Amino acid sequence: MKSLHMMAVDFGASSGRAVTGEFDGERLSIQEIHRFANEPVQLGERLHWDFLKLFHELKRGIAKARQQLGRTPASIAVDTWGVDYGLVDPKGRLIGNPYHYRDLRSEPAMKEAIRLIPETELYARTGIQSSSINTVYQLFAEEQLRLEQNAGDWRMLFMPDLFHYYLSGVMANEYTIASTSGMLDAIKRDWSTAILDALSLPQSLLSPVIMPGTRLGAIRPDICSELSIEAMPVIAASGHDTAAAVASIPADDGHYAFISSGTWSLMGIELDEPVLTERSKQLFFSNEGGADGKIRLLKNIMGLWLLQECRRFWAVEGPDLSFSELMEMAQNAPKNSSYIDAGDTVFLPPGNMPQRIQEYCRASGQSVPQTRPEIVRCILESLAFKYGQTLNEIEELTGKRLERIHMVGGGIQNRLLCQLTANVTGKTVIAGPVEATSIGNLMMQAKAHGEVNHLAEIREIVRRSFPPEIYMPEDVEEWEDRYRRYDQLLVLQKTNGY
C-alpha cells in the first residue's frame, strides 16, 4: 500500500499537541508538529476551558501538518480528557465556553441528584464511580438554566465531539468519551433512559452514540478555504485519551493488566463485559468504554502528580533538579521504610507536597523521610505498592490470574518506577509505547480507512513499530515481605482514622 499520512490532536488537561503519523502497512512512525498550553480561565466565580483558543491551536496544527507533509493529511481525529462538554444552540453556536470539571457548581447538584436516583442504582446501570465532576451531575446543575432560557433544542457534545462538530458540521457522541459521563448504560452501550428520566434530563440534549473509528464527515469548506487545505475526513477515533492509549497496548493476549502512566495512573484490565457488582463499587473501580466495544475496568490512582508537585516546590527553593536527576538520587538512596497511600485525597490539591508526605508519615507512626532522595523513593515505592494492591483487586473481581503488566504513556520514562512495579507485583512489566495516546488515535484512524481490521492487528503493528522495554521482577521475596508491611500499615491507618 501507499503510505497513509494521518493527523492526531491530543488535548490533555494542561497541554495539547498535534502529531502526524505515517503508516506503510507494516509500521507506524509519528512526529510531533505543534504543542501548546491548555490553561483554564477563571471568570467571576466560574472556571472554564478556553475553547476558542484551543480550536485556534487545532487549526494551527492542521496548517503545520499541511506544510510538513506537502499535502493535506488523509484524515484527522481529536482525543481529550473525559466528562467535560459544550452546549450548542439550534443554529450551531457555542453557548459559552465549556465549564472545567473542577468548577464547583456541580457539587450541590450531585447531592440533589443522588436524592432522586441513588448512587447504587447509578453504578449498577453505568458502572461509573460517582464524583461531582461526572457529566451527569454537571448537566443536572445546568438544567435549570436551560429551562429558564426555554432552550429545548440545545445539544450537548463532549469535548472531542465538540471539536469534531466545528471541524465537520456533524454532531455525534463517541462511545469511549460518552462512557465517562455517568449516563451511558454499560451493558447496552447506549444512553440510559432510566437515569435521564429520573433527573429530568431530555434525551434531545444527546446525540447518537457512535463507535470508535467512525467517519463523521469532511472538513468544512470555510476551514479548507481559511487554511488552504483540501477536504479531509474527520474521524471519531477514540475520543477519550485513555481509551486511545489502551488501544495501542502491544499485547498478544488478554492475560495482562494495564497502567496508563502520567500525572494520573489509570490501572485496569480490558474486558468484553462490565463488572457491576457491589464489590467493584466498594473498591472504586469504573467501567469505561474502549476500542472495538471493549470495557476498561479501571481505577484512577494519583500517579506522578505526587512527584511533579514535589519538584515544583523544590524548584522554588533551589536548585531546580530535573526528573532524571531526582531519579538518579532516589536510585542510590538508603532503603526506604516509609509509605503513603497514593489514593488518599490529602495529596490531591496543589501545594507543599513534600511537607504533606512528611506529615502523613509522622501521623501514621512511621519514620519521616527528610531528604529529596528519601521523599522521591517514598513516592515511587508507594505508587508501586498501590499498583500491587490494585492488581490483587482486579484479579479478585475478574477471577483471572494475570501474568503481565503493560505500562504505557509518559510515566514509563521513569525507569525506576517501572522496575519497582515489577518487583512489588512479581510480574513482568512491558513498558511502551511512550506516545500511546497519539498512536492509538492514529491506528484507529487507519482502521477507519480499512488498512487494519481489528484491535489485535493494531497491537501487532504497535509491537513492530515501537519495541517495548521489559522489566523482570527482582528480589521477589524481599518485596513480598515489604508489601505485607505496607498492607498492614494501610489497615492500621483505616482503623485509627489517619
Side-chain angles (χ1 to χ4, degrees), residues 479-495:
W479 286 101
E480 286 177 348
D481 181 63
R482 296 178 72 181
Y483 178 79
R484 282 191 290 269
R485 284 188 278 129
Y486 165 82
D487 194 48
Q488 290 167 0
L489 173 68
L490 294 189
V491 172
L492 182 63
Q493 290 170 343
K494 290 178 182 178
T495 303

Side-chain angles (χ1 to χ4, degrees), residues 86-108:
L87 294 171
V88 177
D89 75 10
K91 294 185 177 180
R93 296 172 298 200
L94 183 65
I95 303 168
N97 268 314
Y99 285 104
H100 191 290
Y101 59 82
R102 293 190 190 276
D103 184 81
L104 299 178
R105 79 197 193 290
S106 58
E107 290 188 1

Side-chain angles (χ1 to χ4, degrees), residues 450-470:
E451 300 300 337
V452 295
N453 296 313
H454 44 70
L455 199 52
E457 189 176 350
I458 287 174
R459 288 169 170 165
E460 172 59 32
I461 291 164
V462 174
R463 282 198 298 275
R464 286 198 298 266
S465 306
F466 308 95
E469 188 167 359
I470 310 299

Side-chain angles (χ1 to χ4, degrees), residues 196-484:
L196 298 176
D197 291 347
L199 300 179
S200 300
L201 295 174
Q203 193 156 350
S204 60
L205 270 173
L206 308 172
S207 297
V209 176
I210 59 172
M211 298 308 290
T214 299
R215 288 188 182 222
L216 294 171
I219 293 279
R220 294 160 41 141
D222 58 312
I223 296 178
C224 291
S225 176
E226 176 189 353
L227 302 179
S228 299
I229 60 171
E230 299 172 354
M232 64 172 167
V234 178
I235 295 174
S238 286
H240 190 211
D241 49 10
T242 308
V246 171
S248 75
I249 289 173
D252 56 5
D253 62 36
H255 300 289
Y256 66 90
F258 65 78
I259 301 173
S260 180
S261 178
T263 301
W264 291 89
S265 291
L266 288 303
M267 185 171 184
I269 187 173
E270 198 172 50
L271 301 171
D272 292 324
E273 298 297 334
V275 178
L276 305 174
T277 62
E278 179 61 26
R279 181 60 174 160
S280 177
K281 181 179 183 297
Q282 289 172 351
L283 293 174
F284 298 102
F285 278 83
S286 284
N287 295 262
E288 296 180 355
D292 284 5
K294 296 285 189 180
I295 294 291
R296 294 171 291 122
L297 178 70
L298 56 79
K299 176 179 286 192
N300 202 342
I301 300 168
M302 204 73 68
L304 291 173
W305 161 256
L306 299 158
L307 182 58
Q308 292 164 355
E309 275 297 285
C310 283
R311 180 174 177 262
R312 188 174 68 85
F313 180 82
W314 288 330
V316 176
E317 292 184 330
D320 184 4
L321 299 176
S322 68
F323 284 116
S324 59
E325 288 173 317
L326 288 171
M327 289 310 101
E328 184 176 354
M329 293 165 62
Q331 186 79 52
N332 300 315
K335 186 171 291 187
N336 176 55
S337 60
S338 303
Y339 308 112
I340 60 173
D341 180 358
D344 197 306
T345 56
V346 71
F347 302 115
L348 185 60
N352 190 335
M353 189 65 74
Q355 181 178 335
R356 269 182 282 163
I357 290 170
Q358 291 171 325
E359 289 175 350
Y360 184 101
C361 292
R362 185 178 295 110
S364 54
Q366 303 179 80
S367 61
V368 178
Q370 299 295 333
T371 67
R372 294 184 185 186
E374 289 173 347
I375 292 173
V376 173
R377 188 83 190 193
C378 172
I379 290 171
L380 297 181
E381 289 190 12
S382 297
L383 275 176
F385 284 131
K386 191 69 175 179
Y387 297 159
Q389 179 188 42
T390 304
L391 180 70
N392 292 339
E393 293 169 348
I394 293 170
E395 291 184 335
E396 175 194 340
L397 291 173
T398 63
K400 292 187 176 186
R401 176 72 175 172
L402 303 178
E403 304 300 331
R404 298 175 300 285
I405 298 174
H406 279 272
M407 294 182 69
V408 298
I412 67 171
Q413 296 172 96
N414 190 318
R415 301 183 78 253
L416 178 55
L417 178 59
C418 294
Q419 185 60 60
L420 288 170
T421 302
N423 295 349
V424 168
T425 62
K427 308 291 185 182
T428 301
V429 168
I430 304 169
V434 174
E435 307 296 344
T437 299
S438 295
I439 291 167
N441 180 319
L442 291 163
M443 288 310 302
M444 289 302 294
Q445 290 184 60
K447 184 174 184 289
H449 283 284
E451 300 300 337
V452 295
N453 296 313
H454 44 70
L455 199 52
E457 189 176 350
I458 287 174
R459 288 169 170 165
E460 172 59 32
I461 291 164
V462 174
R463 282 198 298 275
R464 286 198 298 266
S465 306
F466 308 95
E469 188 167 359
I470 310 299
Y471 295 84
M472 301 301 295
E474 298 174 353
D475 304 320
V476 174
E477 290 185 2
E478 175 189 346
W479 286 101
E480 286 177 348
D481 181 63
R482 296 178 72 181
Y483 178 79
R484 282 191 290 269

Side-chain angles (χ1 to χ4, degrees), residues 117-228:
I117 181 167
E119 289 179 284
T120 52
E121 183 177 348
L122 281 167
Y123 188 85
R125 293 185 181 277
T126 69
I128 299 296
Q129 291 291 338
S130 281
S131 169
S132 62
I133 71 173
N134 290 359
T135 316
V136 63
Y137 300 128
Q138 293 194 52
L139 278 176
F140 188 68
E142 221 154 20
E143 181 61 8
Q144 190 60 42
L145 172 65
R146 195 185 70 83
L147 292 174
E148 288 173 359
Q149 297 189 8
N150 196 28
D153 294 326
W154 287 4
R155 298 286 287 278
M156 185 279 293
L157 294 170
F158 297 99
M159 294 304 292
D161 303 329
L162 194 65
F163 286 111
H164 288 152
Y165 169 65
Y166 283 112
L167 284 174
S168 69
V170 177
M171 289 189 182
N173 293 140
E174 188 270 332
Y175 167 61
T176 67
I177 198 76
S179 72
T180 70
S181 68
M183 298 185 294
L184 198 75
D185 188 299
I187 295 175
K188 296 178 181 177
R189 271 75 158 175
D190 203 353
W191 301 118
S192 171
T193 53
I195 292 174
L196 298 176
D197 291 347
L199 300 179
S200 300
L201 295 174
Q203 193 156 350
S204 60
L205 270 173
L206 308 172
S207 297
V209 176
I210 59 172
M211 298 308 290
T214 299
R215 288 188 182 222
L216 294 171
I219 293 279
R220 294 160 41 141
D222 58 312
I223 296 178
C224 291
S225 176
E226 176 189 353
L227 302 179
S228 299

